[in-house]
Amino acid sequence: MMSPTATAAFLSAAPASSSSTHRRRSRLPVISASFASSSSSEEPLLVRAARGEDGLPRPPAWMMRQAGRYMAAYQALAKRHPSFRERSETTDLIVEITLQPWRAFAPDGVILFSDILTPLPAIGVPFDISDSKGPVIQTPVRSEEQVRELTPIDLEKLRFVGESLKILRSEIDGKAALLGFVGAPWTIATYVVEGGMTNTYTNIKSMCHTAPNVLRGLLSHLADAISDYIIYQVNSGAQCIQIFDSWGGQLPPHVWEQWSKPYIKQIVNKIKIECPQVPLVLYINGNGGLLERMTDTGVDVIGLDWTVDMADGRRRLGNGISVQGNVDPAYLFSPSPVLTDEIHRVVKSAGPKGHILNLGHGVLVKTPEEAVAHFFDVTRSLRYDTLFQDELGFLSHLHSAMSWTT
């Protein structure tokens, strides 16, 4: 439990700010009036927690891979529509799959059912999904000529994403936050360079030394495309965006600093100009060695995986940035009281402000739906004023004493 002094420091900390230089004008329209930001008190709990607002009653919660294979409803739909590309690129199916966990568990965040590789064909990189191999890119991009042949992102080819977000925003009707997401340039580049999944990353890692200019050109192009894709998602109704640098944790910290971080910052700088009201979350799997280096990317929230102790993560990041996570997904296979205790531990370690409860990774296949329901039921029962009664009482007394002396 946090000491009164630590809690006082936590609650008085100001959110981190970022500055940026606008490189080029967006080709996209401004956010439509129907999705303009409302007053803070009317916004979803998750958005307010992402911004680090004071006075929230409890942490909001959602789960990575919230919609998917662990749900019987999804399995039944997948039998009727066996192609993942069809499920993730057809508006009606995207909406139905996205809403399945929302209807079943009522999380505080509803994340679009999609894939980080979905925008690739819109920049001239076709791909397939193999049941045995996962994503397959027949012609990996490894030369300067191939990079020059990449196109600016064609958002018309992603119309199903925009249509789905608009429908979902209407369906959710303010009862939860609608999240969009993208892959970070380095992570997307690993697929584009390697031609699919890899356990070694030898091609892209060697390019850092053998063809650095080619790799910089690819990463810069991806950063531009991903920035425009985020703005498109926001214009279509997304209220918060998560950036997945899934394979950033495979890099030594100093290499991540050189080859991933600058392109994440390039994205964040543009979004903070074009969509300053939309919080950005950065999640890196295996980020224990990167936490301090992640803080100045300019994002609003840093996701912790389950290998980082939440209290240690909060200490290392400071209180000027919000955190997300980080229950081990395996706890969802534990008895309910054990899961309850772990949720309480994580929330108390994160502190009474600027925390979005989540797993430290995606929901595992065969996770019991009853455990997911219990996770959200427990979260809804939490109250900061109960969990942090002693600390918040001390603060109230301290503030009263300070007012009396002044």
Side-chain angles (χ1 to χ4, degrees):
M1 184 174 290
M2 298 170 72
S3 68
T5 303
T7 307
F10 181 96
L11 292 177
S12 62
S17 61
S18 63
S19 60
S20 58
T21 302
H22 191 30
R23 295 183 306 100
R24 61 187 180 90
R25 293 297 301 169
S26 170
R27 302 189 308 273
L28 302 171
V30 297
I31 298 172
S32 63
S34 59
F35 296 133
S37 61
S38 56
S39 66
S40 176
S41 63
E42 296 174 349
E43 289 183 311
L45 186 65
L46 187 148
V47 173
R48 298 176 65 194
R51 292 184 183 140
E53 290 188 17
D54 292 313
L56 303 186
R58 63 171 177 85
W62 69 283
M63 292 181 177
M64 291 181 280
R65 293 184 185 165
Q66 190 164 264
R69 292 174 290 174
Y70 73 98
M71 293 192 71
Y74 177 86
Q75 295 166 15
L77 185 147
K79 287 181 179 179
R80 299 192 303 272
H81 304 276
S83 165
F84 178 82
R85 291 286 300 273
E86 179 192 7
R87 295 194 297 273
S88 62
E89 297 180 13
T90 305
T91 299
D92 291 348
L93 297 180
I94 295 169
V95 171
E96 175 60 26
I97 294 169
T98 302
L99 290 177
Q100 285 175 348
W102 158 246
R103 292 168 179 151
F105 313 119
D108 296 299
V110 176
I111 188 164
L112 178 75
F113 180 76
S114 187
D115 191 85
I116 60 172
L117 300 186
T118 294
L120 281 184
I123 64 168
V125 181
F127 74 97
D128 297 312
I129 299 284
S130 165
D131 291 338
S132 59
K133 298 181 180 179
V136 176
I137 295 171
Q138 296 291 348
T139 306
V141 176
R142 298 175 185 170
S143 71
E144 186 174 348
E145 181 181 0
Q146 288 175 300
V147 172
R148 284 198 303 267
E149 290 175 352
L150 298 177
T151 65
I153 191 166
D154 183 355
L155 296 170
E156 283 297 314
K157 294 182 178 179
L158 298 168
R159 182 175 290 275
F160 55 88
V161 172
E163 291 173 346
S164 299
L165 285 167
K166 290 174 184 176
I167 295 169
L168 288 165
R169 183 70 179 271
S170 177
E171 288 285 334
I172 296 166
D173 194 27
K175 298 180 180 66
L178 178 59
L179 292 94
F181 70 93
V182 297
W186 173 266
T187 289
I188 300 297
T190 62
Y191 291 98
V192 173
V193 170
E194 299 288 345
M197 296 289 294
T198 176
N199 293 320
T200 60
Y201 309 91
T202 51
N203 287 302
I204 190 167
K205 284 185 175 182
S206 66
M207 282 183 71
C208 296
H209 313 289
T210 60
N213 290 337
V214 174
L215 186 55
R216 289 190 190 100
L218 173 60
L219 291 168
S220 182
H221 188 95
L222 289 172
D224 285 340
I226 292 165
S227 297
D228 286 347
Y229 187 39
I230 290 175
I231 295 169
Y232 178 65
Q233 291 187 39
V234 172
N235 284 349
S236 300
Q239 296 165 287
C240 182
I241 299 289
Q242 178 150 314
I243 302 170
F244 285 90
D245 196 5
S246 304
W247 309 132
Q250 299 296 318
L251 293 172
H254 72 284
V255 178
W256 180 83
E257 188 88 39
Q258 180 180 0
W259 288 102
S260 183
K261 182 177 178 178
Y263 303 97
I264 293 173
K265 292 182 72 170
Q266 181 179 331
I267 292 169
V268 173
N269 288 345
K270 180 166 185 179
I271 302 308
K272 289 302 178 182
I273 291 173
E274 300 289 342
C275 311
Q277 81 288 359
V278 174
L280 299 175
V281 184
L282 175 59
Y283 173 81
I284 302 176
N285 189 32
N287 64 0
L290 299 172
L291 291 186
E292 290 85 355
R293 299 170 189 256
M294 294 169 68
T295 56
D296 68 345
T297 56
V299 298
D300 304 278
V301 185
I302 290 178
L304 305 180
D305 75 15
W306 76 94
T307 65
V308 178
D309 180 78
M310 176 57 79
D312 183 53
R314 175 62 92 179
R315 177 187 60 78
R316 291 168 60 189
L317 291 169
N319 298 325
I321 192 166
S322 294
V323 293
Q324 179 175 273
N326 69 334
V327 175
D328 183 344
Y331 267 95
L332 294 169
F333 293 86
S334 303
S336 294
V338 175
L339 176 57
T340 299
D341 289 345
E342 179 63 6
I343 292 170
H344 280 245
R345 185 195 68 81
V346 168
V347 171
K348 292 174 78 171
S349 297
K353 172 184 172 181
H355 176 219
I356 300 169
L357 184 63
N358 204 315
L359 303 179
H361 197 269
V363 182
L364 299 173
V365 177
K366 298 184 179 179
T367 295
E369 292 187 44
E370 296 79 7
V372 176
H374 182 72
F375 181 96
F376 290 114
D377 287 343
V378 171
T379 304
R380 280 187 289 272
S381 73
L382 297 175
R383 290 297 178 270
Y384 280 142
D385 57 2
T386 301
L387 286 171
F388 298 94
Q389 185 173 9
D390 294 341
E391 291 89 339
L392 294 175
F394 171 84
L395 269 185
S396 177
H397 177 76
L398 179 64
H399 291 161
S400 296
M402 292 174 64
S403 299
W404 177 259
T405 57
T406 58

